[in-house]
Amino acid sequence: MSVTQQQVLDSLARIKSPRGVALTNANVLSPISASDGKVFFSINVDAAEARAWEPIRAEAEAAVRSLPGVTTVMVALTAERKAGSAPPPPPSRGTPGVQPVHAHKPPPQGGAQSPMARQSEIPGVAAVIAVASGKGGVGKSTTALNLALGLRDLGLKVGLLDADIYGPSVPRLTGLRDKPELDGERKMIPLRRFGLAIMSIGFLVEEETAMIWRGPMVMSAVTQMLRDVAWGQLDVLVVDMPPGTGDAQLTLAQNVPLKGAVIVSTPQDLSLIDARRGLAMFRKVNVPVLGIVENMSYFQCPHCGTKSDIFGHGGARHEAEKLGVPFLGEIPLHMAIRATSDAGNPVVDSEPDGPHAAIYRAIAGQVRDQLKGVIAAA
Ligand code: ADP
């Protein structure tokens, strides 16, 4: 039988908080989501107290995990900084768990607070790269997965982290629905398909739960998926970012130890403006932009193969030149890409000898070349 909210609360009531009272009386718990053995809640404290609370977070997670019927637990520590208070100290290198994040304040401009101070590497992972877009629906997740597969085809060991907390699509794109199991060190074991190590917030919580998360919760959930997952040895971990350039995205870009970012845009003007915002966001936090991909670049008729530039194709290439970032390639709007993607059989894997796989592999080749030094060093 799966665990109930009350059973979770009963186990948390036995934990003493740094405030001297039971955790359940400390006024820090979010509502508890418990369904199908999957439990999620957060502990919300002031950033100045975050360090003192990390052991409590871990204790709470362990207590809930030991309840019968629990298959997955995620306890996020969300640390909000009160207006006017000192910034939280950076966590020590390699500390698993959750890092203090800003709630409502915009993150620092121009990297002034040394964003690198908060980024510790993921052990065993040579390069973490982001796939981002200024807005939703441009094909970011489809590109992230096919790019990961392209990198795999180049002989690299690749992981995919779906950090698109507002609409995790990796379960749909990969057909994976299982819950990750825990290893001996109680780290989540990523699911495997297509030779990739794959993790998605969609494996852990119901989509509606993720939808209502605010910035700090997004950050702590992503941090846990980065650091409490047994990624093993990877050359590249591709992170499918949440779309947009708001505070949550900026905080993520700042807190995840990124070696670079790929920006996906459609040719329409509007989305190029959004893409420019994405570019500015990564520059602000000193993450190198590896380049821009133009998705749905031109329409390719599935019957006769004729190309039509329905969106004024070429905008992204022009924009990339103007902005001085590499242009990585053009992906057509094609039925085969949509159909394979939505059926959980990404085109690079299901049609490896086709023209689309070749395009994604060419993009992957350019990304690999830019990361060569990092991968070789590892
Ligand atoms: P995002 O992550 O930006 O929200 P998705 O990757 O989920 O976007 O793609 C949105 C929809 O567009 C999906 O149905 C996907 O199959 C489709 N799609 C993405 N790229 C292409 C393409 N190049 N050609 C045809 N359909 C595409």
Side-chain angles (χ1 to χ4, degrees):
M1 217 179 66
S2 60
V3 69
T4 64
Q5 241 175 19
Q6 193 54 49
Q7 288 170 309
V8 173
L9 282 169
D10 290 346
S11 76
L12 298 179
R14 289 192 280 275
I15 296 173
K16 199 161 171 203
S17 76
R19 293 182 185 168
V21 295
L23 181 56
T24 40
N25 291 332
N27 211 15
V28 293
L29 291 180
S30 72
I32 286 166
S33 152
S35 70
D36 277 354
K38 295 187 274 190
V39 179
F40 175 81
F41 60 93
S42 68
I43 300 175
N44 310 298
V45 298
D46 189 70
E49 301 176 285
R51 286 204 158 183
W53 282 85
E54 172 51 30
I56 307 300
R57 184 202 70 76
E59 200 183 329
E61 201 167 74
V64 175
R65 191 168 281 141
S66 68
L67 292 173
V70 170
T71 50
T72 315
V73 194
M74 184 180 273
V75 182
L77 182 61
T78 69
E80 302 196 14
R81 181 144 70 96
K82 288 207 180 103
S85 64
S92 55
R93 283 183 74 81
T95 307
V98 177
Q99 305 175 359
V101 289
H102 308 283
H104 306 297
K105 295 192 148 225
Q109 307 289 304
Q113 282 193 3
S114 179
M116 299 307 277
R118 299 203 209 168
Q119 303 175 350
S120 49
E121 305 282 329
I122 318 287
V125 179
V128 184
I129 63 166
V131 176
S133 64
K135 63 169 194 173
V138 302
K140 170 183 55 60
S141 301
T142 302
T143 307
L145 175 56
N146 282 298
L147 169 64
L149 291 167
L151 291 165
R152 173 205 68 178
D153 287 352
L154 298 171
L156 300 178
K157 290 197 207 77
V158 185
L160 176 68
L161 169 60
D162 177 8
D164 187 347
I165 232 113
Y166 303 116
S169 43
V170 163
R172 169 175 52 89
L173 298 180
T174 58
L176 288 169
R177 295 277 184 278
D178 310 340
K179 289 171 205 138
E181 301 199 335
L182 298 174
D183 69 4
E185 292 170 13
R186 308 206 72 74
K187 287 194 162 207
M188 286 181 277
I189 303 168
L191 302 184
R192 289 206 75 86
R193 181 151 300 174
F194 316 122
L196 304 176
I198 304 175
M199 186 67 200
S200 168
I201 193 74
F203 302 152
L204 302 178
V205 295
E206 304 306 325
E207 212 166 300
E208 309 82 70
T209 313
M211 296 292 277
I212 55 164
W213 289 354
R214 293 171 307 131
M217 290 172 83
V218 170
M219 190 54 228
S220 36
V222 172
T223 304
Q224 277 185 289
M225 286 198 297
L226 268 176
R227 299 185 189 281
D228 292 352
V229 167
W231 288 108
Q233 298 291 321
L234 293 181
D235 295 308
V236 185
L237 176 60
V238 177
V239 180
D240 181 7
M241 296 275 285
T245 50
D247 277 1
Q249 289 81 356
L250 185 48
T251 308
L252 253 181
Q254 191 175 32
N255 282 269
V256 174
L258 295 173
K259 290 286 187 283
V262 170
I263 294 179
V264 181
S265 175
T266 58
Q268 291 102 316
D269 223 2
L270 182 66
S271 125
L272 286 179
I273 292 168
D274 290 322
R276 257 200 306 265
R277 288 204 192 105
L279 207 79
M281 175 176 86
F282 287 110
R283 285 191 167 153
K284 200 180 275 178
V285 296
N286 299 328
V287 171
V289 173
L290 303 171
I292 297 181
V293 171
E294 187 171 87
N295 190 37
M296 310 188 193
S297 181
Y298 49 90
F299 175 72
Q300 197 171 12
C301 173
H303 308 295
C304 63
T306 310
K307 293 180 177 181
S308 327
D309 294 342
I310 50 178
F311 299 126
H313 143 237
R317 179 188 292 276
H318 182 65
E319 195 62 28
E321 272 163 21
K322 242 175 42 195
L323 295 165
V325 297
F327 181 71
L328 298 176
E330 297 166 352
I331 303 162
L333 175 69
H334 197 284
M335 264 309 282
I337 298 179
R338 200 204 62 72
T340 52
S341 206
D342 294 349
N345 294 313
V347 74
V348 171
D349 198 75
S350 55
E351 298 174 17
D353 301 322
H356 307 307
I359 295 173
Y360 284 113
R361 271 196 297 271
I363 292 172
Q366 293 181 67
V367 168
R368 187 261 328 261
D369 289 350
Q370 292 193 58
L371 296 172
K372 237 176 193 160
V374 181
I375 295 171

